[in-house]
Amino acid sequence: MNKLLMHPAAKPVVFLLCLLPFAWLTYGAFTDGLGANPAEFLIRATGDWTLRFICIVLAVTPLRVITKTNALARFRRMLGLFAYFYVVVHLLCYSWFDMGFEWADIAKDIAKRPFILVGFSAFVLLTPLAATSFNRAIKALGAKRWQMLHKLVYLIAGLGLLHFFWMRAGKNNFAEVFVYAAIVAVLLGWRVWNYASKRKPKPSAGTRGSGEKSLRSSSAG
């Protein structure tokens, strides 16, 4: 798998796969294929794809470690940028179809409706992550500060879920919200477990030797 993922064609293929949802939505918009309310469909679909890409980005490290497929790491930056791409399209669709690009009304709507405020906050927090995803930015920030900044993705995932939960609360339909929440909980749970495992002190050679001696003594007795 590592060899396949390291192939020069792998990145272009993944790039095109990430663009497929956008191409499908664009095709649907131009062929009247988005149902009775195309504007609402576009807003919701682009929001769904933002959340899906955030889940995919969070899944890269666990999959890389568990399957020992280190080559997966070379796709994380692209996947993160696609999460930002879809949230920008989501925001543009809302600003256009719901608010008609009336910026004063958009500002009032963000301040007035908590679920819009939460979603907009996730977009604002995702912006510096996208802006610092390039090698030059990593070098300028330093590896430690860059890693600290990019831990915001956990908060962004939580805000995205809260935004989705609030949106579905009006129709009392939480099935998909719980699916995404379960995926994020498992991925974050793995990180906590992995972190705790690394920090757990390992028995030293001397301790192991003493333990073995004690066992031998007990057996002899």
Side-chain angles (χ1 to χ4, degrees):
M1 181 59 81
N2 272 312
K3 193 174 177 182
L4 182 65
L5 293 174
M6 290 302 290
H7 192 279
K11 275 195 172 181
V13 169
V14 172
F15 183 87
L16 290 175
L17 287 174
C18 293
L19 266 183
L20 276 181
F22 181 72
W24 169 65
L25 291 171
T26 304
Y27 176 77
F30 282 99
T31 56
D32 295 328
L34 300 181
N37 192 338
E40 184 180 337
F41 189 95
L42 281 171
I43 293 170
R44 294 194 174 182
T46 49
D48 288 346
W49 279 106
T50 302
L51 203 48
R52 286 168 193 158
F53 270 96
I54 288 173
C55 289
I56 293 170
V57 171
L58 288 174
V60 168
T61 299
L63 281 174
R64 179 177 62 80
V65 174
I66 292 168
T67 64
K68 295 182 172 53
T69 313
N70 291 330
L72 280 171
R74 68 194 294 257
F75 300 95
R76 187 166 44 201
R77 179 187 306 180
M78 183 196 301
L79 295 169
L81 286 172
F82 266 105
Y84 189 68
F85 170 73
Y86 280 103
V87 79
V88 168
V89 177
H90 180 59
L91 183 60
L92 282 173
C93 287
Y94 155 77
S95 302
W96 184 6
F97 301 128
D98 268 8
M99 309 304 293
F101 287 131
E102 294 291 340
W103 303 113
D105 290 344
I106 292 170
K108 285 178 188 172
D109 200 40
I110 291 171
K112 184 180 173 183
R113 294 201 288 173
F115 104 91
I116 298 286
L117 177 62
V118 166
F120 186 73
S121 301
F123 161 74
V124 170
L125 290 175
L126 200 52
T127 299
L129 271 62
T132 58
S133 61
F134 303 97
N135 291 337
R136 192 171 292 181
I138 298 169
K139 192 174 178 182
L141 278 174
K144 279 191 177 179
R145 274 183 288 189
W146 184 86
Q147 284 175 352
M148 287 296 292
L149 176 66
H150 280 250
K151 282 181 181 174
L152 281 175
V153 69
Y154 307 130
L155 176 60
I156 291 164
L159 290 173
L161 283 172
L162 182 59
H163 175 69
F164 195 30
F165 175 86
W166 236 322
M167 193 194 75
R168 288 297 177 89
K171 294 185 177 178
N172 201 28
N173 178 7
F174 300 110
E176 283 184 73
V177 181
F178 291 150
V179 170
Y180 284 112
I183 292 170
V184 171
V186 168
L187 294 173
L188 295 185
W190 180 88
R191 277 173 163 76
V192 172
W193 173 82
N194 189 49
Y195 178 76
S197 300
K198 285 180 179 175
R199 288 184 63 85
K200 191 176 178 181
K202 296 179 181 177
S204 63
T207 308
R208 284 201 300 271
S210 301
E212 287 166 4
K213 282 179 185 175
S214 299
L215 282 173
R216 282 199 294 272
S217 300
S218 301
S219 300

